[in-house]
Amino acid sequence: MNQAETQWLQHAIQGDDQAFTNLVEHYQTPVFNLCYRMLGDPQEAEDAAQESFWRAYQSIQRYDPQRPFATWLLSIAAHYCIDQQRRRRLPSFALDEITEEIVPDPAPDPEKMVGQIERDRLLHSLLVDMNGQDRAAIILRYWYDLSEQEISEALSLSVSAVKSRLHRARRLLAERWQEAQPASVNSERNTYGAQSF
Amino acid sequence: MEHNLFETWIIDQVELNSEQEYALQQHLLDCSTCQRLQRNLQAAILSIQTSTPVAPEPGFSRRWNDSLAHRRAQQQAKQISFTRNILLVGLLFLLAMLVGYSLLITSPMRLLVSGMQNVMSLVLCWNQLGRIAFNLISALPPIIPLAIWVLLSTGLAGLSLFWVLTLWRISRQGVGNYETKT
């Protein structure tokens, strides 16, 4: 956390709304990205991110400065998204929404756009069958590079529970990746698989 | 070694010593299931790690600012409604207890008569208090100097004005926000 962020945080704790808005501006992408990966829908992700910031705003007096602010914020967002996910099944992606949200390039290359959409579909298919906490653990581990200890704090789980969730989620990731690959690629890789090691 | 152990090493991505690493490589040469598992897992994780973070639509913080006032108003309304409901429930509970207790110790008719008598006494009391206050006000002016009267009435008027203003501010801004600003 740099000097400016520390100052915004201190002022926000003292009730300065503008300082908190600066924090929102600074952390909007990581929080939105987490919500988007958890919920799979841009509009729901927007609502979830806004709600996460509101919850952070309400409880900022209870924030422990010893803890990284980003982890604390992501923890709030992850908990909210897990609750949301429990209430409903993950919806399917709408192509136009993905195009609008994921490719902010003002003059997008159509080939690049299609590639981006395909990659995003693939990522979605990897996560779609995981339950909320498994998905949150995988997202925090590989998108945000959090350690198992940090994930356990963020999700209010024990470290061994995080390990077991990551184990289950990684197994599912490998299975889904296998299913997502075209059959020809799989058979070719299976034939020559040993050489890649 | 067992296949399951190698599978666990691959999935948990544990750090292996050179002996374990050699054993794993030997196992991978023979086991196509583990080969596939390792290859698929590595590719899946790589695809996650190299994906671009998704940003919200422009104007996210402006939308946050716009929603802040609305959220505060909602929270304030919720607080007021909660307090009112608690008071109402408390009052009803107290009333029910009183009525229950009274019905236990006496008959409904006697309770009604007693209630009427109490109301009558209250009205009489109120009238007596009014008379006492009137007599006091009529008797006091000659004893207390005019300057003290002026000071007292100005002070009372000031306090009342301050009280009304405070109530108005709290009703406009909410308790939490009012306390933060003051």
Side-chain angles (χ1 to χ4, degrees):
Chain A
M1 194 183 259
N2 63 35
Q3 187 73 27
E5 284 172 61
T6 314
Q7 277 194 342
W8 292 336
L9 191 54
Q10 279 168 354
H11 289 151
I13 290 170
Q14 286 159 8
D16 182 347
D17 286 351
Q18 185 51 48
F20 194 86
T21 305
N22 292 339
L23 289 172
V24 171
E25 184 76 35
H26 191 75
Y27 287 102
Q28 56 178 314
T29 301
V31 171
F32 180 85
N33 184 55
L34 173 75
C35 297
Y36 181 71
R37 298 301 177 193
M38 286 291 292
L39 300 170
D41 176 72
Q43 189 50 53
E44 278 190 64
E46 163 90 18
D47 293 344
Q50 292 277 352
E51 181 62 30
S52 303
F53 279 115
W54 168 243
R55 289 180 179 199
Y57 177 83
Q58 281 180 301
S59 51
I60 198 148
Q61 307 285 343
R62 294 195 296 274
Y63 165 68
D64 173 13
Q66 304 298 319
R67 218 176 144 190
F69 182 69
T71 311
W72 182 73
L73 201 55
L74 290 174
S75 159
I76 292 173
H79 277 292
Y80 179 74
C81 291
I82 290 168
D83 285 345
Q84 287 298 103
Q85 218 193 351
R86 277 193 193 125
R87 290 182 193 147
R88 59 121 180 91
R89 281 182 67 89
L90 197 72
S92 56
F93 273 94
L95 261 178
D96 53 340
E97 284 174 345
I98 294 170
T99 313
E100 188 188 334
E101 292 296 322
I102 309 225
V103 189
D105 191 349
D109 173 5
E111 209 172 305
K112 217 168 127 186
M113 271 171 66
V114 173
Q116 180 69 62
I117 292 166
E118 283 306 317
R119 271 197 297 280
D120 214 71
R121 269 204 177 141
L122 181 62
L123 286 174
H124 176 67
S125 72
L126 294 176
L127 300 171
V128 75
D129 288 331
M130 287 180 198
N131 74 40
Q133 286 192 327
D134 292 5
R135 191 184 300 193
I138 279 288
I139 291 170
L140 292 173
R141 180 78 189 88
Y142 295 115
W143 257 289
Y144 297 95
D145 215 20
L146 262 57
S147 68
E148 286 167 351
Q149 177 66 40
E150 286 169 319
I151 296 171
S152 79
E153 284 167 16
L155 299 181
S156 313
L157 296 169
S158 65
V159 175
S160 60
V162 169
K163 280 182 180 167
S164 125
R165 285 181 182 284
L166 283 174
H167 179 92
R168 192 167 56 200
R170 283 193 199 107
R171 183 185 285 278
L172 199 63
L173 270 185
E175 283 169 16
R176 290 290 165 273
W177 183 266
Q178 170 82 21
E179 286 165 15
Q181 301 311 304
S184 58
V185 174
N186 280 331
S187 61
E188 189 184 330
R189 280 189 179 169
N190 287 344
T191 315
Y192 304 108
Q195 290 175 3
S196 63
F197 294 98
Chain B
M1 277 193 243
E2 279 186 36
H3 166 83
N4 286 350
L5 177 67
F6 293 115
E7 204 179 65
T8 307
W9 284 357
I10 293 168
I11 293 174
D12 287 347
Q13 302 185 309
V14 286
E15 282 193 25
L16 305 173
N17 61 34
S18 55
E19 202 178 311
Q20 289 169 327
E21 183 64 41
Y22 178 75
L24 177 63
Q25 293 306 325
Q26 289 301 309
H27 176 74
L28 285 171
L29 288 174
D30 299 330
C31 179
S32 61
T33 311
C34 284
Q35 281 175 22
R36 233 186 348 262
L37 176 68
Q38 192 183 47
R39 187 178 53 236
N40 289 332
L41 183 60
Q42 283 176 346
I45 289 171
L46 189 69
S47 82
I48 290 174
Q49 286 173 329
T50 54
S51 68
T52 323
V54 186
E57 279 187 56
F60 183 88
S61 54
R62 183 182 45 75
R63 291 194 292 283
W64 154 257
N65 263 335
D66 293 347
S67 72
L68 189 59
H70 177 64
R71 284 178 192 271
R72 271 188 189 148
Q74 266 187 334
Q75 193 194 29
Q76 194 192 338
K78 214 184 276 181
Q79 274 177 354
I80 290 170
S81 160
F82 179 74
T83 313
R84 193 184 50 212
N85 290 345
I86 287 283
L87 284 174
L88 201 67
V89 168
L91 205 68
L92 285 174
F93 180 72
L94 203 67
L95 203 67
M97 291 286 283
L98 272 173
V99 169
Y101 177 72
S102 305
L103 285 174
L104 275 177
I105 58 166
T106 182
S107 70
M109 190 48 76
R110 288 191 71 176
L111 196 67
L112 194 68
V113 172
S114 163
M116 292 289 281
Q117 280 174 343
N118 283 338
V119 170
M120 286 295 287
S121 323
L122 273 176
V123 171
L124 285 173
C125 230
W126 178 254
N127 284 340
Q128 292 298 327
L129 275 175
R131 268 186 211 155
I132 291 168
F134 179 75
N135 288 337
L136 204 64
I137 289 166
S138 328
L140 277 179
I143 304 166
I144 299 173
L146 182 68
I148 293 180
W149 274 114
V150 171
L151 272 175
L152 269 175
S153 41
T154 313
L156 274 174
L159 273 175
S160 309
L161 192 69
F162 181 68
W163 179 61
V164 169
L165 271 174
T166 308
L167 281 181
W168 176 74
R169 279 186 69 183
I170 290 173
S171 69
R172 292 266 302 185
Q173 298 168 358
V175 178
N177 198 28
Y178 177 75
E179 280 171 356
T180 316
K181 285 187 175 172
T182 51

